[in-house]
Amino acid sequence: MPPKRPRSPPPSSLALERLPIKDLPASIARALKEGQNSLLELRQTRSADAHGNAILLAAKQGVDAARESTFPFLDDSAAARDAYALSSLWWAEVCLIEPQLLHGEPTSAEAPGGNASGAAVCFALREAQRGAAAAALRACDLALLRGGVDEWAGAAAPLMKWAADLQARAPVSPSSAHSASTPAPVVSGSTTANSALAAAVDAAATAEAEQRRWETSCRQYVRGRRGGRSLPRLSASSLSPSDFQSRYLTPSKPPPEPVVLAGLAADWPALTTRPWSDFEYLRRLGGSRLVSHPQCHGA
């Protein structure tokens, strides 16, 4: 019996027709059409024989080429960013199809607790599912980061649910907990993608250095001192917004002095019910996920 796998997302949500093809460079449009054709063929494949493996390989190469074709245009073209988002979601789907196509589903004899060889087969499938889910979620994250959450969340949702289902069926074992929390490369074996990743790392390091320089220049405020004098320190709960406005923001002579407000974030979930200081909590929440943060300069 051919291996079963979850239904692919509705074709309309991941179809090339949702993009403004006329606004795309010819190289991207051509690569997208080839990538979509290879994915459509993969969706119809249920056999892991030599022919099925060839179709899988062609889909991986075609979809990866479609995504790479957008790299030179991402900074200047909204249409290219949409093309990148779409091809990233295609890549996520390929990642999710691969373990079911190659490994199928474990039979009752291969379930944990059966014979040794069956347990090994089941473990191999679970490891493949776990890796596929992590790779698919990373691709979905990249699609949302580049294409926009409002524009692509609906198309990504079925894939993210598919990946979450795989993760639920393949819980992290103690021996693989460390590797599961270590992010994998965005596109394995892609020189262009690795160069883009290196550039992103350099940019992040530069931004961090600028932030540290700014913090150093403001150290007297961070430490609660100005001109050798201690700044007043008040509990945030002791001031109403109107009191703070009148005492510390309203222009006057002499001008209002700086003040340190303590306890403003004491009841934030990040400090209480969902503690960001707990590494295990963060790892369970999204150890292999990508997140975006705003770049604040001088503020």
mmCIF file with all atom_site columns, all heavy atoms in Angstrom, residues 222-249:
data_model
loop_
_atom_site.group_PDB
_atom_site.id
_atom_site.type_symbol
_atom_site.label_atom_id
_atom_site.label_alt_id
_atom_site.label_comp_id
_atom_site.label_asym_id
_atom_site.label_entity_id
_atom_site.label_seq_id
_atom_site.pdbx_PDB_ins_code
_atom_site.Cartn_x
_atom_site.Cartn_y
_atom_site.Cartn_z
_atom_site.occupancy
_atom_site.B_iso_or_equiv
_atom_site.pdbx_formal_charge
_atom_site.auth_seq_id
_atom_site.auth_comp_id
_atom_site.auth_asym_id
_atom_site.auth_atom_id
_atom_site.pdbx_PDB_model_num
ATOM 1   N N   . VAL A 1 222 ? 21.839 54.889 32.646 1.00 0.00 ? 222 VAL A N   1
ATOM 2   C CA  . VAL A 1 222 ? 21.560 53.489 32.959 1.00 0.00 ? 222 VAL A CA  1
ATOM 3   C C   . VAL A 1 222 ? 21.914 53.190 34.407 1.00 0.00 ? 222 VAL A C   1
ATOM 4   O O   . VAL A 1 222 ? 21.225 52.443 35.096 1.00 0.00 ? 222 VAL A O   1
ATOM 5   C CB  . VAL A 1 222 ? 22.340 52.570 32.001 1.00 0.00 ? 222 VAL A CB  1
ATOM 6   C CG1 . VAL A 1 222 ? 22.159 51.105 32.385 1.00 0.00 ? 222 VAL A CG1 1
ATOM 7   C CG2 . VAL A 1 222 ? 21.881 52.796 30.565 1.00 0.00 ? 222 VAL A CG2 1
ATOM 8   N N   . ARG A 1 223 ? 22.978 53.798 34.889 1.00 0.00 ? 223 ARG A N   1
ATOM 9   C CA  . ARG A 1 223 ? 23.409 53.563 36.263 1.00 0.00 ? 223 ARG A CA  1
ATOM 10  C C   . ARG A 1 223 ? 22.687 54.459 37.267 1.00 0.00 ? 223 ARG A C   1
ATOM 11  O O   . ARG A 1 223 ? 22.931 54.387 38.455 1.00 0.00 ? 223 ARG A O   1
ATOM 12  C CB  . ARG A 1 223 ? 24.922 53.785 36.372 1.00 0.00 ? 223 ARG A CB  1
ATOM 13  C CG  . ARG A 1 223 ? 25.734 52.741 35.592 1.00 0.00 ? 223 ARG A CG  1
ATOM 14  C CD  . ARG A 1 223 ? 27.208 52.995 35.731 1.00 0.00 ? 223 ARG A CD  1
ATOM 15  N NE  . ARG A 1 223 ? 27.983 51.943 35.049 1.00 0.00 ? 223 ARG A NE  1
ATOM 16  C CZ  . ARG A 1 223 ? 29.299 51.952 34.967 1.00 0.00 ? 223 ARG A CZ  1
ATOM 17  N NH1 . ARG A 1 223 ? 30.001 52.933 35.510 1.00 0.00 ? 223 ARG A NH1 1
ATOM 18  N NH2 . ARG A 1 223 ? 29.931 50.975 34.342 1.00 0.00 ? 223 ARG A NH2 1
ATOM 19  N N   . GLY A 1 224 ? 21.802 55.310 36.780 1.00 0.00 ? 224 GLY A N   1
ATOM 20  C CA  . GLY A 1 224 ? 21.026 56.141 37.692 1.00 0.00 ? 224 GLY A CA  1
ATOM 21  C C   . GLY A 1 224 ? 21.748 57.358 38.196 1.00 0.00 ? 224 GLY A C   1
ATOM 22  O O   . GLY A 1 224 ? 21.430 57.876 39.266 1.00 0.00 ? 224 GLY A O   1
ATOM 23  N N   . ARG A 1 225 ? 22.738 57.876 37.442 1.00 0.00 ? 225 ARG A N   1
ATOM 24  C CA  . ARG A 1 225 ? 23.478 59.055 37.880 1.00 0.00 ? 225 ARG A CA  1
ATOM 25  C C   . ARG A 1 225 ? 23.570 60.041 36.730 1.00 0.00 ? 225 ARG A C   1
ATOM 26  O O   . ARG A 1 225 ? 23.592 59.677 35.567 1.00 0.00 ? 225 ARG A O   1
ATOM 27  C CB  . ARG A 1 225 ? 24.887 58.679 38.355 1.00 0.00 ? 225 ARG A CB  1
ATOM 28  C CG  . ARG A 1 225 ? 24.904 57.691 39.510 1.00 0.00 ? 225 ARG A CG  1
ATOM 29  C CD  . ARG A 1 225 ? 26.308 57.477 40.032 1.00 0.00 ? 225 ARG A CD  1
ATOM 30  N NE  . ARG A 1 225 ? 26.845 58.686 40.630 1.00 0.00 ? 225 ARG A NE  1
ATOM 31  C CZ  . ARG A 1 225 ? 26.593 59.077 41.882 1.00 0.00 ? 225 ARG A CZ  1
ATOM 32  N NH1 . ARG A 1 225 ? 25.821 58.337 42.640 1.00 0.00 ? 225 ARG A NH1 1
ATOM 33  N NH2 . ARG A 1 225 ? 27.120 60.169 42.354 1.00 0.00 ? 225 ARG A NH2 1
ATOM 34  N N   . ARG A 1 226 ? 23.595 61.315 37.085 1.00 0.00 ? 226 ARG A N   1
ATOM 35  C CA  . ARG A 1 226 ? 23.762 62.376 36.100 1.00 0.00 ? 226 ARG A CA  1
ATOM 36  C C   . ARG A 1 226 ? 24.609 63.482 36.717 1.00 0.00 ? 226 ARG A C   1
ATOM 37  O O   . ARG A 1 226 ? 24.219 64.076 37.714 1.00 0.00 ? 226 ARG A O   1
ATOM 38  C CB  . ARG A 1 226 ? 22.402 62.940 35.687 1.00 0.00 ? 226 ARG A CB  1
ATOM 39  C CG  . ARG A 1 226 ? 22.505 64.005 34.614 1.00 0.00 ? 226 ARG A CG  1
ATOM 40  C CD  . ARG A 1 226 ? 21.188 64.674 34.408 1.00 0.00 ? 226 ARG A CD  1
ATOM 41  N NE  . ARG A 1 226 ? 21.250 65.643 33.336 1.00 0.00 ? 226 ARG A NE  1
ATOM 42  C CZ  . ARG A 1 226 ? 20.356 66.598 33.140 1.00 0.00 ? 226 ARG A CZ  1
ATOM 43  N NH1 . ARG A 1 226 ? 19.336 66.715 33.962 1.00 0.00 ? 226 ARG A NH1 1
ATOM 44  N NH2 . ARG A 1 226 ? 20.484 67.429 32.138 1.00 0.00 ? 226 ARG A NH2 1
ATOM 45  N N   . GLY A 1 227 ? 25.765 63.738 36.119 1.00 0.00 ? 227 GLY A N   1
ATOM 46  C CA  . GLY A 1 227 ? 26.644 64.772 36.635 1.00 0.00 ? 227 GLY A CA  1
ATOM 47  C C   . GLY A 1 227 ? 27.095 64.519 38.057 1.00 0.00 ? 227 GLY A C   1
ATOM 48  O O   . GLY A 1 227 ? 27.276 65.452 38.840 1.00 0.00 ? 227 GLY A O   1
ATOM 49  N N   . GLY A 1 228 ? 27.237 63.260 38.424 1.00 0.00 ? 228 GLY A N   1
ATOM 50  C CA  . GLY A 1 228 ? 27.690 62.943 39.772 1.00 0.00 ? 228 GLY A CA  1
ATOM 51  C C   . GLY A 1 228 ? 26.568 62.924 40.790 1.00 0.00 ? 228 GLY A C   1
ATOM 52  O O   . GLY A 1 228 ? 26.821 62.665 41.963 1.00 0.00 ? 228 GLY A O   1
ATOM 53  N N   . ARG A 1 229 ? 25.338 63.235 40.400 1.00 0.00 ? 229 ARG A N   1
ATOM 54  C CA  . ARG A 1 229 ? 24.213 63.247 41.343 1.00 0.00 ? 229 ARG A CA  1
ATOM 55  C C   . ARG A 1 229 ? 23.307 62.046 41.085 1.00 0.00 ? 229 ARG A C   1
ATOM 56  O O   . ARG A 1 229 ? 23.078 61.672 39.944 1.00 0.00 ? 229 ARG A O   1
ATOM 57  C CB  . ARG A 1 229 ? 23.397 64.536 41.192 1.00 0.00 ? 229 ARG A CB  1
ATOM 58  C CG  . ARG A 1 229 ? 24.170 65.787 41.578 1.00 0.00 ? 229 ARG A CG  1
ATOM 59  C CD  . ARG A 1 229 ? 23.308 67.029 41.481 1.00 0.00 ? 229 ARG A CD  1
ATOM 60  N NE  . ARG A 1 229 ? 22.953 67.349 40.100 1.00 0.00 ? 229 ARG A NE  1
ATOM 61  C CZ  . ARG A 1 229 ? 21.741 67.237 39.595 1.00 0.00 ? 229 ARG A CZ  1
ATOM 62  N NH1 . ARG A 1 229 ? 20.752 66.785 40.337 1.00 0.00 ? 229 ARG A NH1 1
ATOM 63  N NH2 . ARG A 1 229 ? 21.489 67.572 38.328 1.00 0.00 ? 229 ARG A NH2 1
ATOM 64  N N   . SER A 1 230 ? 22.795 61.466 42.133 1.00 0.00 ? 230 SER A N   1
ATOM 65  C CA  . SER A 1 230 ? 21.885 60.336 41.970 1.00 0.00 ? 230 SER A CA  1
ATOM 66  C C   . SER A 1 230 ? 20.559 60.815 41.421 1.00 0.00 ? 230 SER A C   1
ATOM 67  O O   . SER A 1 230 ? 20.033 61.854 41.836 1.00 0.00 ? 230 SER A O   1
ATOM 68  C CB  . SER A 1 230 ? 21.659 59.634 43.314 1.00 0.00 ? 230 SER A CB  1
ATOM 69  O OG  . SER A 1 230 ? 22.852 59.077 43.802 1.00 0.00 ? 230 SER A OG  1
ATOM 70  N N   . LEU A 1 231 ? 20.005 60.065 40.479 1.00 0.00 ? 231 LEU A N   1
ATOM 71  C CA  . LEU A 1 231 ? 18.683 60.384 39.960 1.00 0.00 ? 231 LEU A CA  1
ATOM 72  C C   . LEU A 1 231 ? 17.615 59.832 40.905 1.00 0.00 ? 231 LEU A C   1
ATOM 73  O O   . LEU A 1 231 ? 17.802 58.782 41.510 1.00 0.00 ? 231 LEU A O   1
ATOM 74  C CB  . LEU A 1 231 ? 18.484 59.768 38.581 1.00 0.00 ? 231 LEU A CB  1
ATOM 75  C CG  . LEU A 1 231 ? 19.360 60.302 37.450 1.00 0.00 ? 231 LEU A CG  1
ATOM 76  C CD1 . LEU A 1 231 ? 19.080 59.526 36.165 1.00 0.00 ? 231 LEU A CD1 1
ATOM 77  C CD2 . LEU A 1 231 ? 19.097 61.780 37.225 1.00 0.00 ? 231 LEU A CD2 1
ATOM 78  N N   . PRO A 1 232 ? 16.512 60.534 41.025 1.00 0.00 ? 232 PRO A N   1
ATOM 79  C CA  . PRO A 1 232 ? 15.428 59.998 41.859 1.00 0.00 ? 232 PRO A CA  1
ATOM 80  C C   . PRO A 1 232 ? 14.898 58.695 41.281 1.00 0.00 ? 232 PRO A C   1
ATOM 81  O O   . PRO A 1 232 ? 14.804 58.535 40.069 1.00 0.00 ? 232 PRO A O   1
ATOM 82  C CB  . PRO A 1 232 ? 14.372 61.105 41.826 1.00 0.00 ? 232 PRO A CB  1
ATOM 83  C CG  . PRO A 1 232 ? 14.689 61.922 40.617 1.00 0.00 ? 232 PRO A CG  1
ATOM 84  C CD  . PRO A 1 232 ? 16.158 61.840 40.427 1.00 0.00 ? 232 PRO A CD  1
ATOM 85  N N   . ARG A 1 233 ? 14.555 57.781 42.160 1.00 0.00 ? 233 ARG A N   1
ATOM 86  C CA  . ARG A 1 233 ? 14.062 56.469 41.748 1.00 0.00 ? 233 ARG A CA  1
ATOM 87  C C   . ARG A 1 233 ? 12.694 56.249 42.398 1.00 0.00 ? 233 ARG A C   1
ATOM 88  O O   . ARG A 1 233 ? 12.575 56.257 43.622 1.00 0.00 ? 233 ARG A O   1
ATOM 89  C CB  . ARG A 1 233 ? 15.047 55.386 42.181 1.00 0.00 ? 233 ARG A CB  1
ATOM 90  C CG  . ARG A 1 233 ? 14.714 53.993 41.665 1.00 0.00 ? 233 ARG A CG  1
ATOM 91  C CD  . ARG A 1 233 ? 15.755 52.992 42.146 1.00 0.00 ? 233 ARG A CD  1
ATOM 92  N NE  . ARG A 1 233 ? 15.538 51.670 41.603 1.00 0.00 ? 233 ARG A NE  1
ATOM 93  C CZ  . ARG A 1 233 ? 16.039 51.246 40.447 1.00 0.00 ? 233 ARG A CZ  1
ATOM 94  N NH1 . ARG A 1 233 ? 16.798 52.053 39.730 1.00 0.00 ? 233 ARG A NH1 1
ATOM 95  N NH2 . ARG A 1 233 ? 15.786 50.036 40.008 1.00 0.00 ? 233 ARG A NH2 1
ATOM 96  N N   . LEU A 1 234 ? 11.678 56.082 41.573 1.00 0.00 ? 234 LEU A N   1
ATOM 97  C CA  . LEU A 1 234 ? 10.312 55.958 42.070 1.00 0.00 ? 234 LEU A CA  1
ATOM 98  C C   . LEU A 1 234 ? 9.688  54.658 41.592 1.00 0.00 ? 234 LEU A C   1
ATOM 99  O O   . LEU A 1 234 ? 10.012 54.161 40.502 1.00 0.00 ? 234 LEU A O   1
ATOM 100 C CB  . LEU A 1 234 ? 9.451  57.128 41.588 1.00 0.00 ? 234 LEU A CB  1
ATOM 101 C CG  . LEU A 1 234 ? 9.899  58.541 42.006 1.00 0.00 ? 234 LEU A CG  1
ATOM 102 C CD1 . LEU A 1 234 ? 8.985  59.573 41.358 1.00 0.00 ? 234 LEU A CD1 1
ATOM 103 C CD2 . LEU A 1 234 ? 9.873  58.682 43.526 1.00 0.00 ? 234 LEU A CD2 1
ATOM 104 N N   . SER A 1 235 ? 8.769  54.140 42.385 1.00 0.00 ? 235 SER A N   1
ATOM 105 C CA  . SER A 1 235 ? 8.011  52.971 41.971 1.00 0.00 ? 235 SER A CA  1
ATOM 106 C C   . SER A 1 235 ? 6.953  53.397 40.966 1.00 0.00 ? 235 SER A C   1
ATOM 107 O O   . SER A 1 235 ? 6.237  54.382 41.175 1.00 0.00 ? 235 SER A O   1
ATOM 108 C CB  . SER A 1 235 ? 7.348  52.321 43.182 1.00 0.00 ? 235 SER A CB  1
ATOM 109 O OG  . SER A 1 235 ? 6.444  51.308 42.757 1.00 0.00 ? 235 SER A OG  1
ATOM 110 N N   . ALA A 1 236 ? 6.859  52.674 39.870 1.00 0.00 ? 236 ALA A N   1
ATOM 111 C CA  . ALA A 1 236 ? 5.895  53.027 38.835 1.00 0.00 ? 236 ALA A CA  1
ATOM 112 C C   . ALA A 1 236 ? 4.464  52.992 39.363 1.00 0.00 ? 236 ALA A C   1
ATOM 113 O O   . ALA A 1 236 ? 3.606  53.755 38.908 1.00 0.00 ? 236 ALA A O   1
ATOM 114 C CB  . ALA A 1 236 ? 6.033  52.073 37.651 1.00 0.00 ? 236 ALA A CB  1
ATOM 115 N N   . SER A 1 237 ? 4.195  52.139 40.338 1.00 0.00 ? 237 SER A N   1
ATOM 116 C CA  . SER A 1 237 ? 2.834  52.042 40.880 1.00 0.00 ? 237 SER A CA  1
ATOM 117 C C   . SER A 1 237 ? 2.452  53.239 41.735 1.00 0.00 ? 237 SER A C   1
ATOM 118 O O   . SER A 1 237 ? 1.274  53.426 42.053 1.00 0.00 ? 237 SER A O   1
ATOM 119 C CB  . SER A 1 237 ? 2.706  50.756 41.702 1.00 0.00 ? 237 SER A CB  1
ATOM 120 O OG  . SER A 1 237 ? 3.614  50.761 42.788 1.00 0.00 ? 237 SER A OG  1
ATOM 121 N N   . SER A 1 238 ? 3.439  54.068 42.108 1.00 0.00 ? 238 SER A N   1
ATOM 122 C CA  . SER A 1 238 ? 3.133  55.215 42.968 1.00 0.00 ? 238 SER A CA  1
ATOM 123 C C   . SER A 1 238 ? 2.744  56.457 42.173 1.00 0.00 ? 238 SER A C   1
ATOM 124 O O   . SER A 1 238 ? 2.378  57.475 42.772 1.00 0.00 ? 238 SER A O   1
ATOM 125 C CB  . SER A 1 238 ? 4.349  55.542 43.848 1.00 0.00 ? 238 SER A CB  1
ATOM 126 O OG  . SER A 1 238 ? 5.436  56.023 43.049 1.00 0.00 ? 238 SER A OG  1
ATOM 127 N N   . LEU A 1 239 ? 2.832  56.393 40.846 1.00 0.00 ? 239 LEU A N   1
ATOM 128 C CA  . LEU A 1 239 ? 2.524  57.546 40.000 1.00 0.00 ? 239 LEU A CA  1
ATOM 129 C C   . LEU A 1 239 ? 1.398  57.213 39.040 1.00 0.00 ? 239 LEU A C   1
ATOM 130 O O   . LEU A 1 239 ? 1.411  56.166 38.393 1.00 0.00 ? 239 LEU A O   1
ATOM 131 C CB  . LEU A 1 239 ? 3.750  57.949 39.181 1.00 0.00 ? 239 LEU A CB  1
ATOM 132 C CG  . LEU A 1 239 ? 4.848  58.768 39.862 1.00 0.00 ? 239 LEU A CG  1
ATOM 133 C CD1 . LEU A 1 239 ? 5.999  58.961 38.886 1.00 0.00 ? 239 LEU A CD1 1
ATOM 134 C CD2 . LEU A 1 239 ? 4.319  60.116 40.309 1.00 0.00 ? 239 LEU A CD2 1
ATOM 135 N N   . SER A 1 240 ? 0.435  58.138 38.954 1.00 0.00 ? 240 SER A N   1
ATOM 136 C CA  . SER A 1 240 ? -0.579 58.003 37.910 1.00 0.00 ? 240 SER A CA  1
ATOM 137 C C   . SER A 1 240 ? -0.030 58.628 36.639 1.00 0.00 ? 240 SER A C   1
ATOM 138 O O   . SER A 1 240 ? 0.918  59.428 36.682 1.00 0.00 ? 240 SER A O   1
ATOM 139 C CB  . SER A 1 240 ? -1.864 58.711 38.325 1.00 0.00 ? 240 SER A CB  1
ATOM 140 O OG  . SER A 1 240 ? -1.657 60.119 38.370 1.00 0.00 ? 240 SER A OG  1
ATOM 141 N N   . PRO A 1 241 ? -0.583 58.288 35.476 1.00 0.00 ? 241 PRO A N   1
ATOM 142 C CA  . PRO A 1 241 ? -0.103 58.914 34.237 1.00 0.00 ? 241 PRO A CA  1
ATOM 143 C C   . PRO A 1 241 ? -0.169 60.436 34.277 1.00 0.00 ? 241 PRO A C   1
ATOM 144 O O   . PRO A 1 241 ? 0.741  61.110 33.778 1.00 0.00 ? 241 PRO A O   1
ATOM 145 C CB  . PRO A 1 241 ? -1.046 58.333 33.178 1.00 0.00 ? 241 PRO A CB  1
ATOM 146 C CG  . PRO A 1 241 ? -1.462 57.011 33.726 1.00 0.00 ? 241 PRO A CG  1
ATOM 147 C CD  . PRO A 1 241 ? -1.580 57.226 35.213 1.00 0.00 ? 241 PRO A CD  1
ATOM 148 N N   . SER A 1 242 ? -1.219 60.978 34.866 1.00 0.00 ? 242 SER A N   1
ATOM 149 C CA  . SER A 1 242 ? -1.340 62.449 34.922 1.00 0.00 ? 242 SER A CA  1
ATOM 150 C C   . SER A 1 242 ? -0.280 63.055 35.834 1.00 0.00 ? 242 SER A C   1
ATOM 151 O O   . SER A 1 242 ? 0.270  64.121 35.542 1.00 0.00 ? 242 SER A O   1
ATOM 152 C CB  . SER A 1 242 ? -2.744 62.852 35.390 1.00 0.00 ? 242 SER A CB  1
ATOM 153 O OG  . SER A 1 242 ? -3.020 62.294 36.668 1.00 0.00 ? 242 SER A OG  1
ATOM 154 N N   . ASP A 1 243 ? 0.031  62.381 36.950 1.00 0.00 ? 243 ASP A N   1
ATOM 155 C CA  . ASP A 1 243 ? 1.085  62.874 37.838 1.00 0.00 ? 243 ASP A CA  1
ATOM 156 C C   . ASP A 1 243 ? 2.439  62.860 37.140 1.00 0.00 ? 243 ASP A C   1
ATOM 157 O O   . ASP A 1 243 ? 3.227  63.818 37.244 1.00 0.00 ? 243 ASP A O   1
ATOM 158 C CB  . ASP A 1 243 ? 1.157  62.019 39.108 1.00 0.00 ? 243 ASP A CB  1
ATOM 159 C CG  . ASP A 1 243 ? -0.016 62.251 40.040 1.00 0.00 ? 243 ASP A CG  1
ATOM 160 O OD1 . ASP A 1 243 ? -0.666 63.312 39.903 1.00 0.00 ? 243 ASP A OD1 1
ATOM 161 O OD2 . ASP A 1 243 ? -0.289 61.380 40.880 1.00 0.00 ? 243 ASP A OD2 1
ATOM 162 N N   . PHE A 1 244 ? 2.711  61.784 36.425 1.00 0.00 ? 244 PHE A N   1
ATOM 163 C CA  . PHE A 1 244 ? 3.976  61.700 35.705 1.00 0.00 ? 244 PHE A CA  1
ATOM 164 C C   . PHE A 1 244 ? 4.067  62.797 34.650 1.00 0.00 ? 244 PHE A C   1
ATOM 165 O O   . PHE A 1 244 ? 5.111  63.430 34.479 1.00 0.00 ? 244 PHE A O   1
ATOM 166 C CB  . PHE A 1 244 ? 4.118  60.323 35.058 1.00 0.00 ? 244 PHE A CB  1
ATOM 167 C CG  . PHE A 1 244 ? 5.395  60.147 34.292 1.00 0.00 ? 244 PHE A CG  1
ATOM 168 C CD1 . PHE A 1 244 ? 6.596  59.933 34.946 1.00 0.00 ? 244 PHE A CD1 1
ATOM 169 C CD2 . PHE A 1 244 ? 5.407  60.216 32.901 1.00 0.00 ? 244 PHE A CD2 1
ATOM 170 C CE1 . PHE A 1 244 ? 7.781  59.779 34.237 1.00 0.00 ? 244 PHE A CE1 1
ATOM 171 C CE2 . PHE A 1 244 ? 6.580  60.070 32.189 1.00 0.00 ? 244 PHE A CE2 1
ATOM 172 C CZ  . PHE A 1 244 ? 7.766  59.854 32.864 1.00 0.00 ? 244 PHE A CZ  1
ATOM 173 N N   . GLN A 1 245 ? 2.967  63.039 33.935 1.00 0.00 ? 245 GLN A N   1
ATOM 174 C CA  . GLN A 1 245 ? 2.939  64.072 32.907 1.00 0.00 ? 245 GLN A CA  1
ATOM 175 C C   . GLN A 1 245 ? 3.244  65.439 33.505 1.00 0.00 ? 245 GLN A C   1
ATOM 176 O O   . GLN A 1 245 ? 4.073  66.195 32.984 1.00 0.00 ? 245 GLN A O   1
ATOM 177 C CB  . GLN A 1 245 ? 1.562  64.082 32.230 1.00 0.00 ? 245 GLN A CB  1
ATOM 178 C CG  . GLN A 1 245 ? 1.348  65.213 31.240 1.00 0.00 ? 245 GLN A CG  1
ATOM 179 C CD  . GLN A 1 245 ? 2.066  64.998 29.935 1.00 0.00 ? 245 GLN A CD  1
ATOM 180 O OE1 . GLN A 1 245 ? 2.267  63.849 29.544 1.00 0.00 ? 245 GLN A OE1 1
ATOM 181 N NE2 . GLN A 1 245 ? 2.446  66.062 29.266 1.00 0.00 ? 245 GLN A NE2 1
ATOM 182 N N   . SER A 1 246 ? 2.597  65.757 34.611 1.00 0.00 ? 246 SER A N   1
ATOM 183 C CA  . SER A 1 246 ? 2.751  67.099 35.187 1.00 0.00 ? 246 SER A CA  1
ATOM 184 C C   . SER A 1 246 ? 4.110  67.281 35.860 1.00 0.00 ? 246 SER A C   1
ATOM 185 O O   . SER A 1 246 ? 4.690  68.367 35.810 1.00 0.00 ? 246 SER A O   1
ATOM 186 C CB  . SER A 1 246 ? 1.624  67.366 36.192 1.00 0.00 ? 246 SER A CB  1
ATOM 187 O OG  . SER A 1 246 ? 1.665  66.422 37.254 1.00 0.00 ? 246 SER A OG  1
ATOM 188 N N   . ARG A 1 247 ? 4.643  66.228 36.482 1.00 0.00 ? 247 ARG A N   1
ATOM 189 C CA  . ARG A 1 247 ? 5.872  66.385 37.254 1.00 0.00 ? 247 ARG A CA  1
ATOM 190 C C   . ARG A 1 247 ? 7.142  66.214 36.416 1.00 0.00 ? 247 ARG A C   1
ATOM 191 O O   . ARG A 1 247 ? 8.174  66.814 36.720 1.00 0.00 ? 247 ARG A O   1
ATOM 192 C CB  . ARG A 1 247 ? 5.888  65.375 38.401 1.00 0.00 ? 247 ARG A CB  1
ATOM 193 C CG  . ARG A 1 247 ? 4.854  65.667 39.474 1.00 0.00 ? 247 ARG A CG  1
ATOM 194 C CD  . ARG A 1 247 ? 4.756  64.539 40.478 1.00 0.00 ? 247 ARG A CD  1
ATOM 195 N NE  . ARG A 1 247 ? 6.030  64.267 41.148 1.00 0.00 ? 247 ARG A NE  1
ATOM 196 C CZ  . ARG A 1 247 ? 6.177  63.335 42.082 1.00 0.00 ? 247 ARG A CZ  1
ATOM 197 N NH1 . ARG A 1 247 ? 5.144  62.589 42.434 1.00 0.00 ? 247 ARG A NH1 1
ATOM 198 N NH2 . ARG A 1 247 ? 7.350  63.144 42.655 1.00 0.00 ? 247 ARG A NH2 1
ATOM 199 N N   . TYR A 1 248 ? 7.061  65.421 35.342 1.00 0.00 ? 248 TYR A N   1
ATOM 200 C CA  . TYR A 1 248 ? 8.298  65.074 34.646 1.00 0.00 ? 248 TYR A CA  1
ATOM 201 C C   . TYR A 1 248 ? 8.284  65.343 33.147 1.00 0.00 ? 248 TYR A C   1
ATOM 202 O O   . TYR A 1 248 ? 9.325  65.250 32.501 1.00 0.00 ? 248 TYR A O   1
ATOM 203 C CB  . TYR A 1 248 ? 8.633  63.598 34.888 1.00 0.00 ? 248 TYR A CB  1
ATOM 204 C CG  . TYR A 1 248 ? 8.871  63.288 36.338 1.00 0.00 ? 248 TYR A CG  1
ATOM 205 C CD1 . TYR A 1 248 ? 7.894  62.639 37.091 1.00 0.00 ? 248 TYR A CD1 1
ATOM 206 C CD2 . TYR A 1 248 ? 10.059 63.668 36.964 1.00 0.00 ? 248 TYR A CD2 1
ATOM 207 C CE1 . TYR A 1 248 ? 8.109  62.371 38.441 1.00 0.00 ? 248 TYR A CE1 1
ATOM 208 C CE2 . TYR A 1 248 ? 10.285 63.400 38.305 1.00 0.00 ? 248 TYR A CE2 1
ATOM 209 C CZ  . TYR A 1 248 ? 9.302  62.753 39.050 1.00 0.00 ? 248 TYR A CZ  1
ATOM 210 O OH  . TYR A 1 248 ? 9.512  62.500 40.374 1.00 0.00 ? 248 TYR A OH  1
ATOM 211 N N   . LEU A 1 249 ? 7.139  65.676 32.571 1.00 0.00 ? 249 LEU A N   1
ATOM 212 C CA  . LEU A 1 249 ? 7.086  65.927 31.136 1.00 0.00 ? 249 LEU A CA  1
ATOM 213 C C   . LEU A 1 249 ? 6.682  67.350 30.778 1.00 0.00 ? 249 LEU A C   1
ATOM 214 O O   . LEU A 1 249 ? 7.022  67.828 29.696 1.00 0.00 ? 249 LEU A O   1
ATOM 215 C CB  . LEU A 1 249 ? 6.108  64.939 30.467 1.00 0.00 ? 249 LEU A CB  1
ATOM 216 C CG  . LEU A 1 249 ? 6.513  63.459 30.484 1.00 0.00 ? 249 LEU A CG  1
ATOM 217 C CD1 . LEU A 1 249 ? 5.454  62.627 29.745 1.00 0.00 ? 249 LEU A CD1 1
ATOM 218 C CD2 . LEU A 1 249 ? 7.874  63.245 29.847 1.00 0.00 ? 249 LEU A CD2 1
#
